Amino acid sequence: MDTRVKHGAGVSVGRMEDQALLRGTARFVDDVPVTAPLHACFVRSPHAHARILSIDTSMAADLPGVVGIYSAADLRGDVTTLRMPLGFPSPTMPKNTTPFVLAPDEVSFVGEALAVVVAESRYLAEDAAQMVMVDYDILPAVSDCRAAVEPGSPTVRTEIESNVLQQYQLAYGDCDSVFTAGHTIVADDFWVHRGCAHSMEGRGVLAVPDLSSDTLMVWSSTQLAHELHAAIAQMLGQPEDKLRVITPDVGGGFGAKFMIYPEEVAIPAVARKLRRPVKWVEDRREHFTSAIQERDQYWHAEMAVDAAGKIVGLRGSMIHDHGAYTPQGTNVAYNAASSLTGPYVVPNFLLDVQVAHTNKVPVATIRGAGYPQANFVMERLLDQAALVLGLDRADLRQRNLIPPEKIPYTKPLKSRAGLPLVVDSGNFPALQAALLERIDYAGFQARQDAARARGVYLGIGIANSVKPTGRGPFETAKVRVLPSGKITVYTGALAMGQGLKTTLAQICAGHFGVSIDAIDVIAGDTSFVGYGMGGFASRQTIMAGSAVHQASIDVVAKARAVAASMLKQPESEMSVQDGYVTGAEGKSLSLAQIALAMKGAPGYSLPYASDPGLEATSHFHCDDQTYAGASHGCEVEVDPMTGAITLTRYVAVQDSGNLINPQVAEGQVHGGVVHGIGNALFEFMAYDESAQPVSTTFAEYLLPTAPELPHIDVLFCNFPSPLNPLGVKGIGETATIPVASAIIGAVEHALSDIGVRIAESPLGPVRLLELIDATGHDAHLR
């Protein structure tokens, strides 16, 4: 695809990132060229819960090539505190809830780091780590969050008095009265599994002390360069202006890199201590046992529906598995609880929430951050209600979707930041109508009948979702025209493989009338912009894109003013195109000439009374979030003899607001849907009763691969947001949220004659056979 297209938003320009990725010249953390770096390997706990009695490093230290071995005690004085800062500071959170840089005297999950070995090679570091002798006193461990909240349960850490970190109720209306008013009530218990992010590139940190300037340089595969800069400065007492954090190419994040990890503090600490470069790159097993995880929740939910098929009440309870520590906050549980109503009108609501510690990897945000779990519960209840009421599933949803005339629609709940939940834009009935037409919902019965005639069990499922996107409070962009004529965009946003640089370049290029080849985008380098928030919550095009848009407008305005002064023509006659500012009679100046003139020369006035240079910085502020919607549907074939599930069709209808690059947007939807397919049918992070992880390789933890995927048909029905100048919304997360709901609904529909009820995900063949057997119909089928 031609990247020289001279247009801004709305054009599928080829991604500027792809040449490097396809040719193998992209530079990830492990590719950053550094002379003679040392390599680190962490000593991690093999126990879910144990007291550390002693650490003997003598044998490992004698291994040739080992440079140093450090426990928590050895880092005292090198870090200001052993306890990591809380990602989302809150006065209501206990002080002792965050993890440690290195566990000092107790480990609380398998994989928790308690020492770090630094050696001349990774191989030596790995060998030496195996030779560190740790004497443990094994303590009782808690694996199941339901058991964790029971009275008398052993605590997951000896420093806490209860495993219940938070307990609260979200409510509005009068739920109790509607549930006793004779309406139809459906109820069930639900479980959504624990899973991992599994980006292609794991985590990694490289720290290099620059002895000539006393500056510490840190490369990290992170979604939060500026937050990491602040954390390292705080934890190491490193002067902020003597610290630079650089984010190289990042091979995916999916939320797992949206926090500051202990390794990101430990590696800079030992590098500064040794005055030598030190690198650590996570291996896949470490990702299974020490990178954050998500999704594990148990729900009981009830829905009351009146005779007209209108939801009149929704109530229940939820226990959220929070893992051993709180690295970031409790936003996943709150997101799930506050988003249960989805895109539907629910007049009465009550939900009791418990956030429970377990002796497992800490939980934080993974793509969707709590919304997929809530969507699964809500959509499964709707399917059940339709069955009980004898209504079509789409019809029941249509009766309860937020009508377009009610938008902007304020939900009677607040965000975790205390702000109203206001659906700013969208048309949910229109999204569902587009889905039903695209998937030929009306013609499904004929397809199902034909399939059954061949002995094939065919089912269809649908699900709707909505998610607030574009979390603030701000994002930064600086647009600078250099005297060479090159236009560079600097931003605090993070490129993680989703095409951010292409998107921002398109927005900028549209203002200057140039191709994106004329634009450089530098993201996630703290030396270029002082403040930035990073990449998370489907925010980057909304926040950083709007900042680039505004900064570009300012630079273009300055270029026109300077050119008018230099050409001695009215500014109103200046136009910008193809890298030139042109006035009357075709007189023009290149942007390079203007930038060179505004660089200044000693003793001479600038050609225009303004600050030097041709650049502008914009901080786009927005505390309100724009709501992106989705309506998904799929068809599946189910073999009740083997439990095999085959996805035969998938249709994703998305409201993502205006699109900057439709091809990039469609790619994000594909990624989100595939992630959801993994959640629905494959990904299962299993622990045994003693909290030992039992799925720590891709032989046990399954990911969807190409043969398991159907064609994913994407249709955009866009309703621009009024909350940002581009009218854009988030994409990738919204595409994940309804997937498991639609797939599990389709499987249950395929087996409707058998009467299988499914209230959990993921759903593998063995588990499906168990559910079929439980109906008593297995003998008939076989």
Side-chain angles (χ1 to χ4, degrees):
M1 187 170 291
D2 189 356
T3 62
R4 296 171 296 173
V5 177
K6 296 175 182 175
H7 295 288
V11 179
S12 290
V13 177
R15 297 191 348 150
M16 59 197 300
E17 298 91 342
D18 288 346
Q19 287 295 320
L21 293 171
L22 293 172
R23 295 175 185 275
T25 58
R27 181 171 290 173
F28 300 93
V29 167
D30 208 17
D31 303 317
V32 175
V34 174
T35 302
L38 299 171
H39 298 264
C41 178
F42 287 89
V43 179
R44 299 185 183 276
S45 171
H47 303 294
H49 193 196
R51 188 174 289 109
I52 301 170
L53 300 179
S54 65
I55 302 175
D56 182 357
T57 63
S58 57
M59 187 185 306
D62 289 340
L63 194 67
V66 172
V67 177
I69 303 174
Y70 307 97
S71 65
D74 300 315
L75 289 186
R76 294 187 191 278
D78 296 298
V79 294
T80 56
T81 172
L82 285 173
R83 199 125 214 173
M84 294 290 293
L86 183 63
F88 301 151
S90 168
T92 63
M93 290 293 252
K95 301 291 186 186
N96 63 350
T97 196
T98 61
F100 296 93
V101 178
L102 295 171
D105 49 29
E106 182 180 352
V107 287
S108 299
F109 65 93
V110 173
E112 185 171 6
L114 56 121
V116 57
V117 177
V118 182
E120 298 291 348
S121 75
R122 177 64 184 255
Y123 305 105
L124 285 170
E126 293 269 3
D127 289 346
Q130 294 295 319
M131 298 167 68
V132 174
M133 307 303 292
V134 183
D135 189 11
Y136 294 101
D137 175 21
I138 298 175
L139 301 171
V142 183
S143 181
D144 189 320
C145 61
R146 294 168 298 179
V149 301
E150 292 295 324
S153 171
T155 58
V156 303
R157 288 178 275 124
T158 57
E159 64 179 347
I160 62 176
E161 297 180 354
S162 168
N163 294 324
V164 180
L165 176 65
Q166 287 183 333
Q167 184 165 353
Y168 55 85
Q169 184 181 87
L170 298 182
Y172 60 80
D174 185 0
C175 241
D176 290 340
S177 66
V178 298
F179 275 88
T180 57
H183 300 298
T184 298
I185 296 174
V186 293
D188 212 336
D189 296 314
F190 301 92
W191 174 57
V192 181
H193 73 107
R194 174 179 276 249
C196 312
H198 284 306
S199 52
M200 290 184 71
E201 182 205 23
R203 298 174 293 140
V205 190
L206 168 65
V208 180
D210 181 352
L211 303 183
S212 66
S213 63
D214 290 331
T215 299
L216 183 61
M217 301 177 66
V218 178
W219 287 260
S220 180
S221 184
T222 181
Q223 297 175 227
L224 295 167
H226 287 80
E227 190 66 22
L228 179 59
H229 182 277
I232 294 174
Q234 174 189 343
M235 293 293 292
L236 269 61
Q238 179 75 13
E240 286 91 340
D241 55 358
K242 295 289 186 182
L243 173 65
R244 178 184 178 187
V245 172
I246 306 165
T247 307
D249 287 316
V250 175
F254 310 127
K257 298 172 183 175
F258 172 46
M259 59 168 283
I260 310 304
Y261 283 95
E263 293 90 342
E264 292 176 302
V265 173
I267 296 302
V270 297
R272 191 178 65 172
K273 188 180 185 76
L274 292 167
R275 296 167 64 84
R276 292 185 61 183
V278 178
K279 179 166 67 176
W280 167 75
V281 175
E282 180 185 62
D283 63 31
R284 189 55 59 180
R285 186 177 179 83
E286 285 181 301
H287 191 82
F288 272 109
T289 58
S290 58
I292 61 97
Q293 302 170 356
E294 215 223 273
R295 303 277 198 260
D296 204 355
Q297 292 178 350
Y298 290 87
W299 293 68
H300 173 77
E302 303 175 355
M303 177 183 287
V305 186
D306 67 15
K310 291 280 191 179
I311 301 169
V312 293
L314 185 63
R315 69 181 181 184
S317 60
M318 181 258 284
I319 303 175
H320 170 80
D321 185 338
H322 192 60
Y325 295 100
T326 309
Q328 190 182 58
T330 55
N331 49 316
V332 173
Y334 193 87
N335 288 348
S338 61
S339 68
L340 181 59
T341 59
Y344 303 101
V345 176
V346 178
N348 301 284
F349 177 82
L350 185 151
L351 186 70
D352 291 310
V353 179
Q354 287 181 294
V355 179
H357 281 301
T358 59
N359 288 108
K360 296 189 285 193
V361 170
V363 163
T365 54
I366 289 177
R367 205 178 205 162
Y371 290 85
Q373 297 95 308
N375 183 272
F376 185 77
V377 173
M378 185 68 181
E379 295 292 326
R380 295 275 59 224
L381 282 174
L382 284 166
D383 284 344
Q384 188 177 358
L387 180 66
V388 171
L389 292 168
L391 294 173
D392 177 80
R393 291 171 292 165
D395 179 28
L396 178 63
R397 286 171 168 83
Q398 180 74 21
R399 298 181 192 201
N400 290 283
L401 285 168
I402 299 169
E405 61 271 18
K406 295 280 189 181
I407 290 177
Y409 180 81
T410 301
K411 294 189 174 188
L413 291 172
K414 297 289 181 66
S415 72
R416 67 175 187 268
L419 299 173
L421 298 177
V422 182
V423 181
D424 64 305
S425 56
N427 187 327
F428 302 108
L431 294 183
Q432 179 169 295
L435 169 72
L436 300 183
E437 180 180 355
R438 191 77 159 208
I439 204 168
D440 186 20
Y441 189 78
F444 176 77
Q445 187 62 58
R447 296 196 296 278
Q448 187 180 44
D449 292 343
R452 287 298 299 271
R454 304 192 310 272
V456 174
Y457 286 75
L458 186 67
I460 189 169
I462 61 173
N464 300 304
S465 70
V466 64
K467 183 186 186 298
T469 62
R471 189 171 294 281
F474 72 92
E475 193 49 85
T476 302
K478 176 187 293 184
V479 175
R480 173 184 289 167
V481 180
L482 299 168
S484 64
K486 193 74 179 178
I487 303 169
T488 302
V489 174
Y490 308 93
T491 179
L494 257 299
M496 299 173 288
Q498 70 278 64
L500 176 78
K501 291 184 177 181
T502 300
T503 301
L504 298 187
Q506 277 189 254
I507 294 169
C508 182
H511 289 279
F512 290 95
V514 298
S515 73
I516 65 170
D517 292 337
I519 313 289
D520 276 341
V521 178
I522 298 176
D525 187 331
T526 61
S527 67
F528 290 107
V529 292
Y531 298 94
M533 300 302 294
F536 56 92
S538 300
R539 69 185 298 274
Q540 304 219 82
T541 301
I542 299 167
M543 303 301 293
S546 297
V548 170
H549 171 74
Q550 185 56 55
S552 299
I553 290 173
D554 293 344
V555 174
V556 167
K558 185 173 184 179
R560 293 175 64 235
V562 176
S565 176
M566 294 174 69
L567 295 173
K568 302 188 184 310
Q569 293 190 356
E571 184 179 332
S572 60
E573 296 186 11
M574 296 291 119
S575 62
V576 179
Q577 190 66 31
D578 291 332
Y580 285 83
V581 183
T582 303
E585 301 174 356
K587 292 183 178 180
S588 65
L589 291 169
S590 69
L591 290 172
Q593 288 174 301
I594 297 170
L596 182 63
M598 289 302 290
K599 178 180 74 63
Y604 292 88
S605 300
L606 291 170
Y608 176 73
S610 179
D611 290 334
L614 188 55
E615 66 180 48
T617 298
S618 173
H619 305 284
F620 179 72
H621 298 257
C622 189
D623 291 327
D624 296 328
Q625 293 184 273
T626 183
Y627 280 69
S631 187
H632 287 199
C634 66
E635 291 184 12
V636 301
E637 290 182 1
V638 181
D639 184 344
M641 297 293 287
T642 65
I645 300 166
T646 304
L647 272 167
T648 57
R649 295 186 70 194
Y650 200 97
V651 178
V653 178
Q654 300 281 140
D655 170 19
S656 303
N658 291 330
L659 302 178
I660 304 301
N661 186 316
Q663 185 186 48
V664 168
E666 186 171 350
Q668 288 203 33
V669 175
H670 285 172
V673 171
V674 173
H675 197 146
I677 291 172
N679 291 168
L681 300 176
F682 298 98
E683 299 182 53
F684 182 60
M685 185 63 212
Y687 287 80
D688 69 12
E689 293 181 353
S690 61
Q692 280 285 338
V694 295
S695 54
T696 57
T697 73
F698 285 140
E700 300 121 357
Y701 185 100
L702 304 180
L703 291 172
T705 55
E708 290 85 49
L709 301 178
H711 170 71
I712 300 170
D713 185 9
V714 180
L715 175 65
F716 287 104
C717 294
N718 296 322
F719 298 90
S721 170
L723 300 180
N724 63 78
L726 301 172
V728 295
K729 301 178 179 179
I731 302 174
E733 287 183 296
T734 312
T736 297
I737 292 167
V739 180
S741 308
I743 292 174
I744 299 302
V747 173
E748 188 175 281
H749 184 240
L751 301 175
S752 56
D753 290 347
I754 301 172
V756 171
R757 174 69 184 159
I758 307 169
E760 63 192 61
S761 73
L763 182 67
V766 173
R767 179 57 182 155
L768 180 55
L769 290 178
E770 291 174 349
L771 293 173
I772 293 173
D773 287 347
T775 67
H777 284 74
D778 54 325
H780 168 72
L781 290 166
R782 295 167 185 168

